[in-house]
Amino acid sequence: MENGKKGIVMSGIRSTGFLHLGNYFGAIRNYVRMQEEYTCYFMVADLHSLTTHPDTKELKPNVHRVLAENIACGLDPEKVALYCQSHVYETAELYLLLNMLAYKGELEKTTTFKDKVRQHPENVNAGLLTYPVLQAADILLHRASLVPVGKDQEQHLEMSRNFANRFNHRYREVFPEPFAFNFGEALIKVPSLDGTGKMSKSENQYATIFLSDSDDLIRKKIMKAKTDAGPSAPNMPMPDYIENIFLLMKLVSGADTIQKFEEDYNKAAIRYGDMKKQLAEDMIRFVAPIREKAESIRQDQAYLKRIMEMGAEKARISAAATMEKVREAIGLKYY
């Protein structure tokens, strides 16, 4: 392990859509901490996107955007391997070999597969069915034991453990078991602005703050956030949609600002218009530098090419060493 770091971390980053505040506080902020202490492989999952996005016109700008936004948030391509899945050809080889250990019945039972079949009955391809196998290949390729994932991915991670154990049992011990990892802290769920759950790329775009939103758009979105007439008496319990505004404020505002509005609420003297204006300005101060840095990275095609080449080279060194062990264990070495 390099430089006495604690362990190997692997995480996939979706190559579609725009990063939002929930992605930052739920995942990327942790990645930035991990890069200091662990050997990290962060992969843009472009092959995964082919299972549901057969139209690939947007693939290149999407990949460039995702790389730029992650770097702008603090991921350092010098400290981690930041690479595209399709640039590491060993992924496809391990995916093929793991498919021999994956059973149709267990793949059909995965929640995400059942959801996708319901949503797109006309596009149930083999890639969709074997999605968890490709995900396992991504992780096992680096013999990673630490995988930062949200609750919704824990079933896939359990399948990766199953495939690792099945391989080790059938052939010989090559893979460590991968486990979910988030610094032992509760995962932060960033609430949406319409009070209906967490921020999401796909639900209500107006209830989500994207890291690429303009200052004016951020102001507009926050001013539309759900509020009410305010508490009618001191120290009333707070409705969840008001609590959400305070939660957002805790992410980007100073302690004194939060304290002022909490006191106003408890005195039944809060003015939600003022609170939202303050939140909007604090949010802009947080998002604008990330947006501007990401935009300048996106314009620099030569830099992006260098980052992708450097990331792929680091990932391939790790992948080649694993595949050497895999071929040997299976018996695919004939001379």
Side-chain angles (χ1 to χ4, degrees):
M1 209 161 300
E2 63 182 62
N3 314 333
K5 288 193 172 178
K6 287 182 189 169
I8 298 174
V9 168
M10 190 279 153
S11 190
I13 300 164
R14 283 178 59 186
S15 61
T16 49
F18 291 65
L19 292 180
H20 55 72
L21 212 59
N23 300 133
Y24 178 83
F25 286 102
I28 300 167
R29 191 174 58 160
N30 268 347
Y31 294 171
V32 173
R33 275 178 68 188
M34 287 168 195
Q35 70 186 359
E36 303 303 332
E37 297 175 45
Y38 297 86
T39 301
C40 295
Y41 295 90
F42 294 126
M43 175 199 83
V44 181
D46 55 342
L47 295 176
H48 279 294
S49 70
L50 301 180
T51 57
T52 50
H53 292 77
D55 180 359
T56 54
K57 280 197 300 291
E58 293 302 308
L59 201 52
K60 186 175 173 180
N62 281 344
V63 166
H64 285 185
R65 172 184 300 282
V66 167
L67 288 167
E69 288 184 339
N70 275 276
I71 295 166
C73 287
L75 265 198
D76 183 344
E78 301 290 339
K79 290 180 179 170
V80 303
L82 181 60
Y83 64 99
C84 287
Q85 188 181 26
S86 60
H87 292 170
V88 180
Y89 308 128
E90 289 85 352
T91 305
E93 185 185 357
L94 185 55
Y95 170 47
L96 173 74
L97 296 171
L98 291 177
N99 268 317
M100 314 305 181
L101 301 169
Y103 298 104
K104 177 174 166 278
E106 69 185 336
L107 295 171
E108 284 174 339
K109 279 196 203 100
T110 58
T111 316
T112 43
F113 178 68
K114 288 192 286 197
D115 288 348
K116 290 284 192 288
V117 170
R118 259 197 312 275
Q119 290 160 6
H120 307 283
E122 76 300 336
N123 180 28
V124 184
N125 57 66
L128 203 56
L129 180 67
T130 58
Y131 194 102
V133 188
L134 182 54
Q135 207 166 35
D138 297 328
I139 296 164
L140 301 179
L141 197 58
H142 302 298
R143 282 168 287 161
S145 51
L146 305 166
V147 186
V149 290
K151 273 265 171 275
D152 57 336
Q153 289 293 316
E154 280 180 355
Q155 186 184 21
H156 282 180
L157 191 53
E158 192 183 336
M159 293 181 81
S160 297
R161 272 198 297 281
N162 290 344
F163 298 142
N165 287 329
R166 235 171 257 173
F167 183 96
N168 292 345
H169 181 70
R170 183 175 294 185
Y171 302 115
R172 72 157 185 260
E173 198 78 24
V174 170
F175 299 116
E177 287 189 60
F179 287 95
F181 165 62
N182 283 297
F183 284 113
E185 295 166 9
L187 289 177
I188 291 178
K189 282 198 169 52
V190 177
S192 70
L193 294 167
D194 58 5
T196 60
K198 60 177 187 168
M199 281 194 186
S200 149
K201 285 178 188 166
S202 51
E203 297 299 318
N204 176 0
Q205 306 255 316
Y206 241 84
T208 296
I209 303 282
F210 291 93
L211 300 180
S212 54
D213 282 349
S214 69
D215 294 356
D216 281 349
L217 189 51
I218 291 172
R219 283 191 193 98
K220 258 192 207 123
K221 285 181 177 181
I222 288 178
M223 294 317 283
K224 277 185 180 315
K226 185 179 176 183
T227 51
D228 53 28
S232 51
N235 300 314
M236 281 183 74
M238 208 178 269
D240 52 3
Y241 50 88
I242 300 299
E243 218 167 78
N244 282 352
I245 295 175
F246 274 101
L247 280 173
L248 289 169
M249 205 166 222
K250 282 176 181 149
L251 297 176
V252 295
S253 304
D256 46 349
T257 303
I258 297 157
Q259 189 182 347
K260 175 212 173 319
F261 286 108
E262 278 175 347
E263 284 169 3
D264 288 353
Y265 184 88
N266 290 329
K267 290 190 292 211
I270 192 160
R271 295 160 65 106
Y272 289 133
D274 292 350
M275 185 185 182
K276 291 200 279 191
K277 276 189 191 119
Q278 178 69 51
L279 175 59
E281 295 318 306
D282 291 346
M283 191 64 77
I284 287 164
R285 200 168 55 244
F286 178 81
V287 170
I290 295 175
R291 178 187 68 225
E292 285 154 18
K293 188 172 179 189
E295 200 41 52
S296 80
I297 292 169
R298 242 161 42 96
Q299 301 307 321
D300 191 344
Q301 300 282 309
Y303 172 72
L304 281 169
K305 177 175 184 281
R306 192 169 65 76
I307 291 307
M308 284 187 268
E309 285 172 346
M310 181 168 73
E313 194 180 337
K314 289 182 195 173
R316 278 196 208 120
I317 290 168
S318 160
T322 299
M323 290 315 297
E324 192 63 24
K325 289 181 186 303
V326 165
R327 290 182 211 111
E328 215 166 275
I330 294 177
L332 293 171
K333 295 200 81 172
Y334 306 133
Y335 53 84

